[in-house]
Amino acid sequence: MGAMSGLGLLARRQLRTSWGATATLGAVAFLAAGLLSTAPRAVETMHADQVAYETAEASGLARDVISVVRAIPGQPPTDGFYDPGAIGTGVVPDEPDWAPFLANLDTVRAETPEPLRSVMGAPQFHVTATDHAYTDPVLSAELAEAKAYLRAATDLSENAELVEGRWPAATAEPVFDGDDQFLGEPARQAPPVEVAVSRAVADTYGWELGGRYDNLSGSGVVALADRYPSLVVTGIFETGDPNADYWLHHALGARASVINDPNRGLLGTAAVYVDPAMITPLTLGMAETRVWYPVNTAGVTAADVPTLLSQANGQSAKTFLVEAGPGDPAPIKLRPSTRLSEILESLLAQRTGVDAIVAVLAVGPLGATVAVLALGARLVVDRRRPALALLRARGASGTQLRLLMGGEGLVVGLGSAAAGFAAGLAVSAAFGLDAPVTVSQVALALAAGLAPAAALALATSPAGLRHTRADLAPRSRSRVRWVLEVLVVASAALATWLLLSRGVVAGSGGGSGVDPLVAAAPLLVSLALTLLAVRAYPWLALAVERALAPRRDLVPFLGAARATRDPAGGPVPAVALVLAVAVAATSAVLYSTVSGGIVREAWRATGADLRISGPLVDEPAAEEIAALDGVEAVSPVADVGDGVLRGAASSLRAEVYTVDTAGLAIAQEDVAGAPETIGELDGTGGPDDAVPVILTRAAAGPGFEAGRQGGTLVTQEGSVPVHVVDVVDELPGLPAGRALVLADADRLAEGTGDTSFARLALVGLADEADRAAVTAQISRLLPTAVVEDPDQEADAMLAAPVSGGLAIAFVLAVVLAGLLCAAAVVMTLMLAAPARARLLAVLQTLGLSSRQGRGLVGWEIGPWAVVALVVGAALGVAVPSLVLASVDVTALTGGTTQPDPQYDPMLLGAGAAGFVAVVLAAVGVAAALSRRGEVAAQLRMGSND
């Protein structure tokens, strides 16, 4: 009992008098618990934000649950001809009661399981004629053709603002005289049908309020009618944003589509709105009902994504019978479909890539933290060495000593971990990280609190209370250490082999979470290389010592001798420093790879400084664009259509594109991945009668090789021999992953007579050009064209939550690695402080200067720093390569090809410089903390020893 009370008294006295080293362990526990409570919640919040971001970026057509059926609610199926007598009754048709139909549609949603039910909004629908009317074009509109689809929607007035006239009403007279028309007798003039159109459609068509626009002869809306009723505009409405989800579902309703056909002129197509009562009489039931449920993923967490994906796929495989109301003769069969599944699959792939990268970034600091804890525990035991040795001499067992030190670590660790966990929750709340606290997070924080106790207990042993010279036994005789090291190296080799053998694994399989193999392999590889370096270190240090022995200056030889005989901290600092440098290097490489991949993919997809997608980019339009300030070259790109490459041993189908060779060569001069042989498409270097072409690998069958005549290209216009000048993986600016043939427009026209028109153009800009100004001018020249800027596309992807979250993760990993590196250096130098102080006291009496003393301090950590830089740099190459060889990151870069590791010299150089700066600063801090008094005091202490 007395012994235990004595131990307790000693523990309290030690905590009061020598608390600095123990406080360091508490600081590590505080930091670890805070990070373990914040980082997982930050990652979950980032994934949830990405779900909302991806679905918000997608249009309603890409995410909503949609079903289209050729039927009108409440109408019998169109089996044969309608009874014309039932249609032309001479009375105003009744308004259809579609409220029960909407209610039944909402019942389908209510019966959908969660979480899909919560993301599906209230159902909406409209009914549109399956055929169109050719109305008489207005001369002022300069249209060669004006087509109109008739449409009925009960909620039009809720989503549009009527600015002129009134909403259309049902026609009071018979629309068709069925008897005359079916009997082939002369048809009477049908009364006009009232319609409402959007302001944009009215402006495009040149229609005015009250205007009557006759149908052209030969209308296809009702094949049985000789004359379709004319349309009279009774209302004009404003739609607001024509790209709003509602109007995207109401195709051609907000604005007309105008296509410039080189042979026929401007062709317009629009939707006009009739009273719902008129849709059946006007179409004879030949219409389609479009039903959609707006999708809103607000509140969907990352954990919900796999379930939501499964439910969306399952719903698309079902058919729902929906009645329009009581007594409905023909329930409508709905088969909902949604492209939300594609978005969710992309999200899962992104999550897999992000989690793998975050795991790799986390395991390095985790290993370095363990090493720092080991150093801190050794430092605490070293400070307690005299008292522990006294207790041991007076009969205390090794278990009692471990319990004493473990209790000290328990008191400090649990309190610090609790404070760190609470601080992490406060930081999470401050930054809006609203992911729930999980049991695993609490368990990890508890482990962080117990770690100091475990480290102190393991560091306390009777054998550790005695000083030994490391150079007397450069080879460790510890069998346990040899076994552990062999196991680590073997495990690293096995994990690497497993990762490389299974190849790149995509992340769209519906699962989630971190692959343990991906997380463990980089850490095992890092530990294996570090252990090999530690095994080689004594021999290298001994060789350096012998090489420096002949020198006359004292510091290099003495520093090398001390590094050989008594390395500060042993191999533990090497583990901490190597892992810290490896994390920084890995972060820099992965950041360069992902961000650089996003930029390169944006340029690959665009193919030039600007990419124009328009209804038509003909020669006059290309000349106008080329005349703009800042434009160096324009290459129209024409889609010739499908062609066949016929060779002696194969016949492959491919898509054929033609370009202006001279313009494309300039436009793609600085585009990564652009073929260097573009200039050869003009015909130089090949047979005169063969058309030079560039093929993608998917189109290059047997016999189609670069540098030789490769058979015949057959298009719709004819056939021509081709000469393959190059075979490439992809053609920037054109669809990726397809079989493509690229040829010069003039050369292909000479051979086949093809006169395809370009609806795409690639534009090259001068270095000093104002991209925004050029884009605005092109938009004025081609109002309906889409102008894509690769820099803007890349910025949009880099603005995504996962991209921003990864950038923050990279920065935090580097900062944490720097802190751990500094802590390891300070603790290592403090461990060696007593022996160094005694040595310096003796040497200073013999004339050693302060500068030479600092040099000796540098030699204590300098060799380990060099080892860390060399091994860490090797790991900076190996670990990213291992990650990219096993984890698919194309969902993060937006491409189809796995990127290669990118090594940015500026980032890597800055990381190396930062490491050196941290080491130097830590050396200064350690030197300040390790001063133990005057030289005389140290000499007096040495004489007492």
Side-chain angles (χ1 to χ4, degrees):
M1 194 64 154
M4 293 303 296
S5 62
L7 288 175
L9 178 61
L10 178 61
R12 291 194 297 272
R13 180 177 298 174
Q14 289 181 148
L15 285 173
R16 287 196 304 267
T17 59
S18 184
W19 54 267
T22 307
T24 303
L25 294 181
V28 174
F30 176 89
L31 182 61
L35 287 174
L36 292 173
S37 65
T38 305
R41 304 177 79 235
V43 172
E44 285 299 315
T45 302
M46 176 186 64
H47 287 312
D49 291 345
Q50 185 66 15
V51 173
Y53 178 84
E54 288 285 347
T55 52
E57 287 293 304
S59 66
L61 297 179
R63 67 172 185 268
D64 293 348
V65 178
I66 304 170
S67 182
V68 179
V69 60
R70 290 211 167 194
I72 300 177
Q75 296 299 323
T78 57
D79 185 11
F81 294 109
Y82 273 80
D83 179 5
I87 298 174
T89 58
V91 298
V92 178
D94 294 331
E95 286 285 330
D97 183 11
W98 285 337
F101 178 63
L102 272 176
N104 292 333
L105 288 175
D106 197 58
T107 301
V108 173
R109 181 185 67 86
E111 295 175 352
T112 302
E114 291 287 0
L116 182 58
R117 178 171 68 247
S118 295
V119 305
M120 293 172 58
Q124 297 175 288
F125 78 98
H126 62 67
V127 182
T128 306
T130 55
D131 212 339
H132 49 261
Y134 290 94
T135 60
D136 192 6
V138 177
L139 294 179
S140 61
E142 299 181 353
L143 295 177
E145 180 179 279
K147 295 188 292 187
Y149 284 91
L150 303 182
R151 177 175 295 159
T154 58
D155 59 352
L156 179 63
S157 60
E158 302 172 10
N159 294 276
E161 179 183 0
L162 188 68
V163 293
E164 293 186 41
R166 59 176 175 80
W167 294 112
T171 303
E173 301 180 40
V175 177
F176 302 115
D177 189 341
D179 294 335
D180 292 343
Q181 292 173 5
F182 271 89
L183 295 176
E185 300 177 5
R188 61 172 176 79
Q189 176 66 49
V193 175
E194 296 183 359
V195 298
V197 297
S198 69
R199 170 65 69 189
V201 170
D203 292 343
T204 301
Y205 276 27
W207 287 2
E208 298 177 350
L209 184 68
R212 178 168 176 166
Y213 305 99
D214 295 332
N215 173 54
L216 294 177
S217 177
S219 169
V221 173
V222 182
L224 304 177
D226 293 329
R227 180 178 295 274
Y228 191 75
S230 57
L231 307 178
V232 59
V233 178
T234 62
I236 297 177
F237 57 85
E238 291 282 359
T239 63
D241 182 8
N243 294 318
D245 291 343
Y246 180 86
W247 293 110
L248 291 178
H249 286 289
H250 281 251
L252 306 174
R255 56 189 173 192
S257 169
V258 179
I259 297 177
N260 188 357
D261 190 307
N263 298 319
R264 301 169 59 193
L266 297 176
L267 309 180
T269 308
V272 299
Y273 291 83
V274 300
D275 186 275
M278 298 300 298
I279 195 67
T280 296
L282 288 171
T283 64
L284 299 181
M286 290 183 285
E288 65 181 21
T289 299
R290 181 185 183 89
V291 177
W292 71 96
Y293 297 85
V295 168
N296 184 356
T297 59
V300 174
T301 65
D304 295 331
V305 171
T307 304
L308 190 60
L309 173 61
S310 176
Q311 291 175 354
N313 289 334
Q315 187 186 62
S316 299
K318 295 180 181 179
T319 299
F320 299 88
L321 296 178
V322 181
E323 295 184 355
D328 184 5
I332 289 182
K333 296 180 180 180
L334 296 183
R335 188 163 187 174
S337 63
T338 176
R339 291 171 56 193
L340 178 65
S341 299
E342 301 175 11
I343 298 175
L344 296 176
E345 288 175 353
S346 175
L347 286 169
L348 284 178
Q350 291 174 354
R351 180 174 184 177
T352 299
V354 169
D355 288 348
I357 291 175
V358 170
V360 170
L361 296 179
V363 294
L366 178 62
T369 301
V370 173
V372 169
L373 278 173
L375 279 173
R378 289 185 57 188
L379 181 60
V380 172
V381 172
D382 187 69
R383 294 293 183 264
R384 308 283 192 265
R385 188 183 303 275
L388 292 175
L390 180 61
L391 288 174
R392 179 64 175 170
R394 292 184 176 182
S397 66
T399 301
Q400 288 177 318
L401 295 180
R402 288 189 175 92
L403 288 175
L404 172 65
M405 299 305 297
E408 179 179 345
L410 196 64
V411 172
V412 175
L414 288 179
S416 299
F421 190 80
L425 295 181
V427 171
S428 299
F431 285 92
L433 307 179
D434 52 1
V437 178
T438 63
V439 175
S440 61
Q441 295 171 18
V442 176
L444 289 173
L446 180 60
L450 296 175
L456 284 173
L458 291 174
T460 305
S461 67
L465 302 179
R466 299 189 304 269
H467 288 286
T468 59
R469 282 182 53 178
D471 60 324
L472 296 180
R475 285 190 179 182
S476 174
R477 296 189 177 94
S478 173
R479 293 183 179 179
V480 175
R481 178 180 172 183
W482 272 104
V483 170
L484 291 177
E485 291 179 355
V486 169
L487 285 176
V488 169
V489 174
S491 299
L494 178 61
T496 302
W497 177 77
L498 289 175
L499 281 180
L500 296 179
S501 62
R502 77 181 187 182
V504 177
V505 178
S508 58
S512 60
V514 178
D515 185 345
L517 188 60
V518 174
L523 180 59
L524 290 172
V525 171
S526 300
L527 289 176
L529 288 181
T530 304
L531 292 176
L532 292 175
V534 168
R535 281 293 178 181
Y537 174 80
W539 304 104
L540 296 176
L542 188 59
V544 172
E545 176 189 351
R546 291 172 179 173
L548 294 175
R551 294 174 60 108
R552 298 187 60 182
D553 46 345
L554 173 66
V555 172
F557 169 71
L558 182 57
R562 295 188 71 237
T564 303
R565 300 180 182 185
D566 192 14
V572 179
V575 175
L577 294 180
V578 167
L579 290 177
V581 174
V583 167
T586 300
S587 299
V589 174
L590 289 178
Y591 173 77
S592 301
T593 301
V594 174
S595 60
I598 290 174
V599 174
R600 281 189 298 276
E601 181 56 32
W603 277 87
R604 190 222 65 79
T606 307
D609 293 305
L610 296 175
R611 184 176 186 265
I612 304 172
S613 304
L616 183 67
V617 186
D618 54 12
E619 186 174 346
E623 292 176 352
E624 289 185 74
I625 295 172
L628 297 176
D629 291 338
V631 176
E632 283 192 338
V634 179
S635 175
V637 181
D639 183 358
V640 176
D642 289 341
V644 177
L645 282 168
R646 291 179 179 172
S650 65
S651 180
L652 297 176
R653 186 174 296 275
E655 301 174 47
V656 183
Y657 288 86
T658 61
V659 296
D660 176 358
T661 298
L664 186 64
I666 298 174
Q668 293 191 336
E669 185 176 359
D670 297 324
V671 177
E676 298 180 357
T677 53
I678 290 176
E680 298 180 24
L681 292 178
D682 59 4
T684 60
D688 294 337
D689 59 341
V691 175
V693 296
I694 296 177
L695 309 179
T696 59
R697 299 198 186 281
F704 293 92
E705 300 174 0
R708 57 178 293 181
Q709 185 168 344
T712 303
L713 174 63
V714 181
T715 67
Q716 295 179 352
E717 300 295 332
S719 62
V720 64
V722 294
H723 171 71
V724 181
V725 299
D726 203 354
V727 177
V728 297
D729 292 327
E730 56 189 9
L731 291 167
L734 297 181
R738 299 186 187 177
L740 304 180
V741 178
L742 187 67
D744 182 80
D746 294 337
R747 288 300 308 270
L748 189 63
E750 293 175 5
T752 63
D754 180 83
T755 56
S756 299
F757 296 95
R759 304 190 186 278
L760 182 71
L762 301 180
V763 180
L765 302 180
D767 294 337
E768 68 280 0
D770 186 339
R771 305 175 76 91
V774 174
T775 299
Q777 294 179 71
I778 294 175
S779 297
R780 285 193 291 270
L781 290 175
L782 302 173
T784 60
V786 176
V787 184
E788 299 172 77
D789 185 333
D791 289 340
Q792 292 182 356
E793 299 293 325
D795 290 342
M797 287 203 67
L798 290 172
V802 291
S803 299
L806 277 180
I808 294 175
F810 291 137
V811 173
L812 289 179
V814 173
V815 172
L816 185 58
L819 291 175
L820 292 171
C821 175
V825 172
V826 171
M827 289 181 179
T828 300
L829 294 179
M830 289 182 69
L831 275 171
R836 182 194 324 120
R838 289 191 296 269
L839 176 64
L840 290 178
V842 173
L843 293 178
Q844 286 175 6
T845 62
L846 299 177
L848 187 75
S849 66
S850 299
R851 180 178 180 182
Q852 289 174 315
R854 289 193 296 270
L856 286 177
V857 176
W859 268 96
E860 291 180 0
I861 198 64
W864 288 131
V866 173
V867 170
L869 274 177
V870 174
V871 179
L875 290 173
V877 174
V879 171
S881 300
L882 193 60
V883 172
L884 295 174
S886 57
V887 179
D888 184 8
V889 297
T890 56
L892 299 176
T893 61
T896 58
T897 304
Q898 183 81 340
D900 296 325
Q902 301 296 316
Y903 305 98
D904 188 335
M906 295 294 294
L907 278 179
L908 294 175
F915 172 74
V916 173
V918 167
V919 170
L920 293 177
V923 168
V925 172
L929 293 176
S930 61
R931 293 192 180 101
R932 288 293 183 267
E934 300 296 333
V935 174
Q938 293 296 332
L939 293 175
R940 187 164 53 251
M941 292 172 61
S943 63
N944 293 333
D945 293 342

